[in-house]
Amino acid sequence: MLDQFRDKQLVQQSLAEIRRITTRPWAIMEICGGQTHAIMQYGLHELLPQEIELIHGPGCPVCVTSLELVDKAIAIASKENVIFTSYGDMLRVPGSSQDLFAVKAGGGDVRVVYSAIEALHIAEKNPDKEVVFFGIGFETTAPANVISVVKAKNQGIRNYSMLVSQVCVPPAMHAILGSPANRVQGFLAAGHVCAVMGYREYEPIAQQYRVPMAVTGFEPLDLTLGILETVKMLESGQVEVRNAYTRGVTRDGNLIAQKIIHDCFEPCDRNWRGIGMIPMSGWKLKDAYRDFDAELKFQVQDIQTRESEICIAGQILQGLKKPYECPAFGKPCTPQNPLGATMVSSEGACAAYYLYARIDHE
Amino acid sequence: MCLGIPGKIIEIFNHESTRMGKVDFNGVELEVCLEAVPEAQLGNYVIVHAGFAISTLSESEAKETLDILNQLDSFQQELGN
Ligand code: SF4
């Protein structure tokens, strides 16, 4: 079943249909970094008709985690008696003066984990240490992250806490569409965020800004079908949220996962790296779980940050510039030596362009 | 990290009253929390993010999507395209 969504001929067919119905230029944003990655990997942006421009959105959690939180992570990881755990990509994200990898190289106990539950197991096995998990992500990883806190509370594991950097897509869409510089005319809504949250939240946004959206999956055929659906609406002037990923997403989303999230998290303002503060665009732990909040536990409130002067990741994340327009792209900034967060994770636009771009932009 | 990938459930078990499973991702087997997908059965494909299954892939919906596309093809052929 899965193979067919990678079938070259079917992808070609859907591309032909997009070509057939496109009559003028349209700018469509894929909000999710996973989709940016897949688009570059399969070279879809080069196979689309010239009129269709894909603008890459800010949906890379590694990229938008605020500098302040990265610096807090570094401060906590540098403390005695702490085992700091994180998804692998976060280790190379530049903080104001160093990254987590440097803390590890300097003798700090920084460990890469695949899930928050794994971090909780480390806490169980090391009762004399404080184990901290860097809980980053969009709605997709929220249930995975927060269930570790629920379990820690239920099992009475007191030496576990989470540095929370949860962000949410709908407020970011408002920020993009409400900006005077906005060029986005249609959205590919991220399939897996919608798998968790459903897509009811998007319907009023689509109407408010008159911007059609298609819920879109991650295989090449899913992407072309999402683009096709969006172009159909743009060409006909219809404004709706359509589901082009019905095998993975329902309108209501996963109600159990939503309950797990809302039991523990509540909305809060969040700073997005390179973009700035977006009101009510994140989640933080509710008061009932404050004992598991690493920011409170380690008192790392006063952090002075300093952002790189070269990096234009902010403009890239807002869809205003493409990675190859950055003077540092490719040299000196590379995935081996990232100057900005968008070059670290393969979901970041800079890294996706670096890894897969077939066009020579030098 | 955010690249949620579909995998096939090859084992379901309980661990400290949590519904867990072993999921096969193209030959790599990982333990996954199945708490939020009570409908998922052995052999089903689930989408997993950071060790947590967020959705069960529906085969009938997948088939329908492909059917629509195939109709599109025959329609174009009828037009002599
Ligand atoms: S290429 Fe490097 S320096 Fe330039 S915007 Fe991307 S991450 Fe920042």
Side-chain angles (χ1 to χ4, degrees):
Chain A
M1 170 176 92
L2 204 64
D3 293 350
Q4 287 184 278
F5 286 87
R6 293 185 184 161
D7 184 285
K8 262 204 182 122
Q9 211 194 326
L10 290 177
V11 172
Q12 289 294 357
Q13 225 165 279
S14 52
L15 282 164
E17 184 65 7
I18 295 172
R19 249 175 263 130
R20 189 181 71 79
I21 65 167
T22 305
T23 64
R24 48 200 154 126
W26 299 112
I28 300 171
M29 175 177 273
E30 89 278 0
I31 194 127
C32 167
Q35 290 175 335
T36 305
H37 177 103
I39 287 162
M40 302 305 294
Q41 182 182 8
Y42 297 107
L44 293 178
H45 58 304
E46 288 170 13
L47 299 171
L48 288 168
Q50 270 189 353
E51 290 91 340
I52 308 291
E53 181 193 359
L54 291 178
I55 301 181
H56 317 305
C60 159
V62 173
C63 307
V64 300
T65 295
S66 73
L67 181 57
E68 194 192 354
L69 277 169
V70 175
D71 283 349
K72 283 181 179 176
I74 291 166
I76 295 171
S78 307
K79 287 189 196 286
E80 290 282 309
N81 214 39
V82 164
I83 302 176
F84 194 88
T85 61
S86 168
Y87 298 123
D89 281 349
M90 286 312 285
L91 265 59
R92 309 209 34 243
V93 172
S96 290
S97 57
Q98 56 172 341
D99 55 25
L100 282 167
F101 197 72
V103 175
K104 186 177 164 72
D109 197 344
V110 179
R111 302 186 193 177
V112 170
V113 290
Y114 161 70
S115 70
I117 291 294
E118 206 181 318
L120 185 65
H121 289 326
I122 296 175
E124 279 177 286
K125 285 194 203 114
N126 296 274
D128 52 334
K129 300 262 186 180
E130 279 295 333
V131 176
V132 183
F133 174 70
F134 203 174
I136 70 154
F138 279 89
E139 293 93 327
T140 40
T141 37
N145 289 348
V146 89
I147 205 164
S148 69
V149 175
V150 177
K151 282 173 169 291
K153 191 171 187 203
N154 291 346
Q155 297 173 32
I157 303 171
R158 316 292 303 176
N159 63 323
Y160 178 75
S161 60
M162 188 155 87
L163 181 62
V164 183
S165 175
Q166 292 291 158
V167 278
C168 305
V169 169
M173 281 182 163
H174 274 291
I176 291 164
L177 293 170
S179 153
N182 173 54
R183 296 195 298 122
V184 176
Q185 295 165 292
F187 265 111
L188 305 185
H192 291 164
V193 169
C194 296
V196 175
M197 302 304 292
Y199 53 89
R200 284 179 190 276
E201 279 181 287
Y202 297 86
E203 289 165 355
I205 303 176
Q207 295 309 329
Q208 182 180 343
Y209 300 96
R210 308 297 302 159
V211 168
M213 305 186 189
V215 178
T216 304
F218 294 77
E219 299 297 340
L221 185 58
D222 291 318
L223 287 158
T224 51
L225 290 177
I227 295 167
L228 174 60
E229 217 44 54
T230 310
V231 174
K232 268 190 210 165
M233 288 187 273
L234 286 167
E235 288 283 347
S236 66
Q238 281 165 298
V239 177
E240 282 169 38
V241 181
R242 289 191 189 159
N243 188 358
Y245 189 38
T246 49
R247 74 182 187 287
V249 172
T250 59
R251 186 159 176 246
D252 284 328
N254 186 324
L255 296 173
I256 300 173
Q258 288 168 34
K259 183 168 182 331
I260 294 173
I261 293 171
H262 295 311
D263 280 349
C264 307
F265 280 145
E266 62 188 13
C268 66
D269 295 344
R270 247 198 213 296
N271 246 319
W272 293 49
R273 191 169 191 170
I275 297 177
M277 204 278 283
I278 305 179
M280 292 296 164
S281 65
W283 281 318
K284 62 172 186 179
L285 286 168
K286 286 187 172 170
D287 253 3
Y289 291 93
R290 57 182 296 132
D291 293 350
F292 300 92
D293 186 333
E295 275 185 87
L296 299 174
K297 200 175 210 176
F298 294 93
Q299 296 291 323
V300 279
Q301 270 79 352
D302 295 319
I303 292 263
Q304 294 295 321
T305 59
R306 196 174 48 84
E307 191 58 276
S308 148
E309 278 154 26
I310 317 165
C311 182
I312 60 159
Q315 291 174 58
I316 291 169
L317 288 166
Q318 293 169 72
L320 305 175
K321 288 223 162 118
K322 292 266 155 70
Y324 49 78
E325 294 175 66
C326 172
F329 178 77
K331 58 182 183 205
C333 185
T334 62
Q336 287 72 39
N337 176 37
L339 298 183
T342 41
M343 190 55 102
V344 174
S345 156
S346 64
E347 294 159 46
C350 294
Y353 268 75
Y354 190 85
L355 291 173
Y356 298 117
R358 289 157 180 77
I359 305 167
D360 193 355
H361 291 290
E362 297 212 352
Chain B
M1 179 213 88
C2 215
L3 294 176
I5 27 173
K8 190 176 187 173
I9 302 178
I10 51 174
E11 199 185 316
I12 296 177
F13 56 91
N14 264 305
H15 179 73
E16 281 163 4
S17 70
T18 307
R19 189 168 188 254
M20 301 287 295
K22 212 173 249 169
V23 175
D24 173 26
F25 301 93
N26 264 330
V28 182
E29 288 174 17
L30 291 172
E31 274 195 15
V32 165
C33 177
L34 300 178
E35 199 66 21
V37 286
E39 74 286 356
Q41 302 296 327
L42 275 183
N44 285 167
Y45 280 86
V46 281
I47 301 168
V48 177
H49 272 263
F52 190 98
I54 54 169
S55 168
T56 309
L57 285 181
S58 154
E59 294 213 24
S60 57
E61 289 290 350
K63 200 175 162 300
E64 204 165 298
T65 306
L66 293 167
D67 283 350
I68 291 170
L69 199 68
N70 285 325
Q71 278 163 18
L72 198 93
D73 184 39
S74 43
F75 176 67
Q76 282 186 353
Q77 276 166 4
E78 270 170 42
L79 288 177
N81 206 345

